[in-house]
């Protein structure tokens, strides 16, 4: 049987590399010799995501959507982690440290002023104590930590964003602690059994206290 004879039903030369007398597969152009088909010569790209260039592994996020996380909180493998809430003991000790700092700033001047009959010293102690409180609120709003919270390794953040409260909301939260004292300081005790370890002030302001990563 010769090439191109009627016995050859396709009328094409018999190429041993292409199959004896078999027609080419329709639909895709053929790759030239020496170019493997897996390099994409003439084949359509897979739909869905843009292709990463050679040498860039897909797990680096080239063209793939990032996995959702929880802003401001520590991440692991691209997935948001559940924040570790500070327990009641950590919150109590941090509050105790902050109170001691205020007392150290105020009490000596108040006592000396009272014994010496010098109201000016008492006023100095009062203003110094107020200054300490204001500074602590500003630091908590900016960084999430007072001196006591920093010592205990915890911080106050907004629950919905995971970011510090800001000075204004940190001040509002301090005012809301008045509600924690009513009745019988129940709000201060609430973190002992609350699922998110929140006081009433935290629930009002949408704040949480978490452990540092």
């Amino acid at each position: 049987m010769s090439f191109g004879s009627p016995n050859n039903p396709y009328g094409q030369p018999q190429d041993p590399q292409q199959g004896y007398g078999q027609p080419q597969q329709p639909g895709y152009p053929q790759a030239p010799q020496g170019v493997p088909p897996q390099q994409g010569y003439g084949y359509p790209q897979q739909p869905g995501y843009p292709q990463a260039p050679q040498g860039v592994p897909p797990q680096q996020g080239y063209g793939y959507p990032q996995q959702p996380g929880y802003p401001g909180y520590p991440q692991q493998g691209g997935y948001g982690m559940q924040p570790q809430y500070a327990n009641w003991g950590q919150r109590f000790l941090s509050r105790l440290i902050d109170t001691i700092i205020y007392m150290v700033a105020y009490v000596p001047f108040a006592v000396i002023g009272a014994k010496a009959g010098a109201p000016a010293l008492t006023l100095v102690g009062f203003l110094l104590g107020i200054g300490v409180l204001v500074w602590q609120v500003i630091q908590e709003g900016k960084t999430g930590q007072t001196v006591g919270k920093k010592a205990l390794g915890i911080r106050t953040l907004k629950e919905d964003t995971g970011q510090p409260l800001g000075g204004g909301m940190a001040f509002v939260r301090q005012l809301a602690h008045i509600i924690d004292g009513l009745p019988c300081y129940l709000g201060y005790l609430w973190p002992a059994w609350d699922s998110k370890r929140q006081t009433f002030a935290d629930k009002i302001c949408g704040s949480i206290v978490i452990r540092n990563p």
Side-chain angles (χ1 to χ4, degrees):
M1 180 176 61
S2 61
F3 297 124
S5 66
N7 294 328
N8 186 344
Y10 299 102
Q12 296 182 2
Q14 294 180 358
D15 190 338
Q17 295 181 353
Q18 296 182 356
Y20 291 94
Q22 297 297 323
Q24 298 295 329
Q25 294 295 330
Y28 303 113
Q30 299 297 313
Q33 293 185 4
V35 179
Q38 59 267 27
Q39 293 183 359
Y41 187 90
Y43 287 82
Q45 299 293 332
Q46 293 295 328
Y49 301 113
Q51 301 296 314
Q54 294 185 6
V56 178
Q59 59 266 29
Q60 293 183 0
Y62 188 90
Y64 289 82
Q66 298 295 328
Q67 295 292 339
Y70 204 32
Y73 298 117
Q75 304 294 314
Q76 182 178 14
Y79 294 92
M81 293 178 60
Q82 178 72 17
Q84 297 297 313
Y85 301 112
N87 58 44
W88 185 86
Q90 291 172 315
R91 297 188 60 152
F92 173 78
L93 289 176
S94 68
R95 189 80 175 185
L96 180 62
I97 292 172
D98 292 337
T99 301
I100 291 174
I101 292 174
Y102 166 76
M103 298 297 289
V104 168
Y106 168 68
V107 170
F109 290 94
V111 172
I112 295 173
K115 289 185 176 180
L121 285 177
T122 302
L123 179 60
V124 168
F126 175 76
L127 294 177
L128 186 59
I130 292 298
V132 169
L133 290 177
V134 171
W135 179 80
Q136 292 267 52
V137 170
I138 292 174
Q139 289 302 306
E140 186 170 28
K142 183 185 300 184
T143 67
Q145 292 182 307
T146 61
V147 174
K149 284 184 170 65
K150 188 173 184 179
L152 270 294
I154 60 178
R155 66 179 63 239
T156 304
L157 302 174
K158 295 178 67 175
E159 183 179 10
D160 56 347
T161 65
Q163 300 298 322
L165 299 178
M169 184 56 68
F171 177 73
V172 172
R173 181 173 177 270
Q174 292 301 317
L175 293 179
H177 278 312
I178 297 173
I179 301 175
D180 289 331
L182 302 173
C184 301
Y185 297 97
L186 180 62
Y188 286 112
L189 299 174
W190 203 260
W193 54 77
D194 186 73
S195 60
K196 295 181 180 179
R197 301 293 188 259
Q198 290 176 302
T199 63
F200 295 159
D202 287 323
K203 294 183 181 297
I204 292 170
C205 299
S207 60
I208 54 175
V209 181
I210 67 168
R211 304 174 189 175
N212 288 341

